[in-house]
Amino acid sequence: MKELTLVIPAKDEAECLPIVLKELKNFDCKKLVIIPKTDLNTQNAIKNLDCKIVMQDNDGFGRALIQGIKETETKFLCIFNADGSMDPKYLKNMFNELSNNCDFVFNTRYENEGGSDDDTFLTYIGNKIITFTCNLLFRLNISDVLFTYVMGKTLAFKSLDLKRKDFCFCIELPVLAKFKKYKFISKPSYERSRLSGRKKLNEFKDGFLMLLCILKMFILRK
């Protein structure tokens, strides 16, 4: 998997990210970590580990991923969390799927053999509502829109011209892939507990913003 880059957004992950990078040391791929300039703790925690550190220009989850996508030079890339929730054992299977004439692989917690140690009742219901709405309006045929454990061809990622600066990035990515008529599939994946136990997503605020994002993209079709 030498032609694969893991794009890892990391804000205040000094505790978790070193553990994640050590778990990834046996995977023959590049690790690109995007860290806010002010987050010196995370920078210092991983400066001697096997990864490339990129200073984030502007705050926001989406902005970190967009910057990481722009910086990627390998043929394939995968969005990978810094909190330990994404199990790297799925990387090889995702990579093989891309080699079979597929543009994106979206992992899902809500199909057979999938699951989550991190979901709460509130996040589960919210995800189901948002996923149902996206599938209804855009015919995505994805069972887990908000689990951004996604691998794809780098040129396809870059062609989407992603712009959402916050967690609405999770919505924008599959919808624009659908607009561009890229081929994508879902594969079951089990989400582990976050090492820190802390969620950065605000269920009510971010959920409301995502619903607004869906409606805007449906009306404007972009």
Side-chain angles (χ1 to χ4, degrees):
M1 297 192 295
K2 291 182 179 180
E3 282 299 308
L4 174 67
T5 295
L6 302 183
V7 175
I8 307 173
K11 181 179 180 181
D12 299 327
E13 295 289 1
E15 177 186 354
C16 304
L17 187 52
I19 299 172
V20 171
L21 289 174
K22 287 174 183 176
E23 185 180 22
L24 289 168
K25 68 181 181 179
N26 294 324
F27 289 83
D28 189 17
C29 59
K30 294 178 173 58
K31 295 90 178 177
L32 183 65
V33 182
I34 302 89
I35 307 177
K37 296 176 182 177
T38 56
D39 187 2
L40 299 179
N41 289 334
T42 303
Q43 294 174 38
N44 291 329
I46 66 168
K47 63 183 180 181
N48 295 320
L49 297 178
D50 178 25
C51 65
K52 178 182 178 181
I53 299 174
V54 174
M55 297 294 103
Q56 186 173 342
D57 294 330
N58 299 291
D59 196 27
F61 174 75
R63 281 175 171 160
L65 289 173
I66 290 167
Q67 189 171 345
I69 291 168
K70 290 179 179 178
E71 294 274 349
T72 299
E73 298 178 348
T74 53
K75 185 176 180 180
F76 306 103
L77 72 84
C78 181
I79 297 171
F80 199 87
N81 284 350
D83 57 16
S85 59
M86 292 177 175
D87 194 329
K89 73 178 184 180
Y90 298 104
L91 290 172
K92 185 175 181 181
N93 187 37
M94 296 168 74
F95 188 81
N96 290 337
E97 290 289 351
L98 288 179
S99 300
N100 294 328
N101 197 31
C102 182
D103 299 302
F104 292 97
V105 178
F106 290 83
N107 273 342
T108 174
R109 296 162 290 186
Y110 305 129
E111 293 181 11
N112 291 337
E113 300 180 16
S116 176
D117 289 329
D118 189 66
D119 240 356
T120 65
F121 176 77
L122 192 58
T123 57
Y124 174 82
I125 294 299
N127 195 346
K128 287 292 185 180
I129 291 171
I130 289 172
T131 296
F132 173 80
T133 305
C134 286
N135 285 329
L136 177 66
L137 297 181
F138 305 111
R139 303 190 181 190
L140 295 181
N141 195 28
I142 292 177
S143 59
D144 191 358
V145 168
L146 299 187
F147 191 37
T148 315
Y149 192 177
V150 183
M151 187 183 294
K153 296 176 180 177
T154 301
L155 289 178
F157 268 105
K158 292 183 177 182
S159 75
L160 299 181
D161 192 25
L162 297 154
K163 297 185 183 299
R164 308 291 168 169
K165 65 181 181 179
D166 50 20
F167 288 106
C168 291
F169 177 97
C170 304
I171 304 296
E172 185 183 36
L173 173 57
V175 171
L176 291 186
K178 177 70 173 185
F179 286 174
K180 291 276 188 176
K181 297 183 180 180
Y182 282 116
K183 181 180 178 182
F184 52 85
I185 61 171
S186 290
K187 300 291 291 185
S189 174
Y190 199 95
E191 181 185 31
R192 305 181 299 192
S193 298
R194 300 166 194 266
L195 293 171
S196 66
R198 299 188 303 271
K199 285 182 180 290
K200 294 180 180 177
L201 182 142
N202 183 298
E203 289 93 338
F204 292 105
K205 176 186 174 182
D206 291 312
F208 178 71
L209 290 175
M210 287 178 193
L211 288 173
L212 288 181
C213 176
I214 293 168
L215 292 175
K216 183 178 179 180
M217 294 190 75
F218 180 69
I219 293 169
L220 300 178
R221 303 299 290 180
K222 66 178 181 178

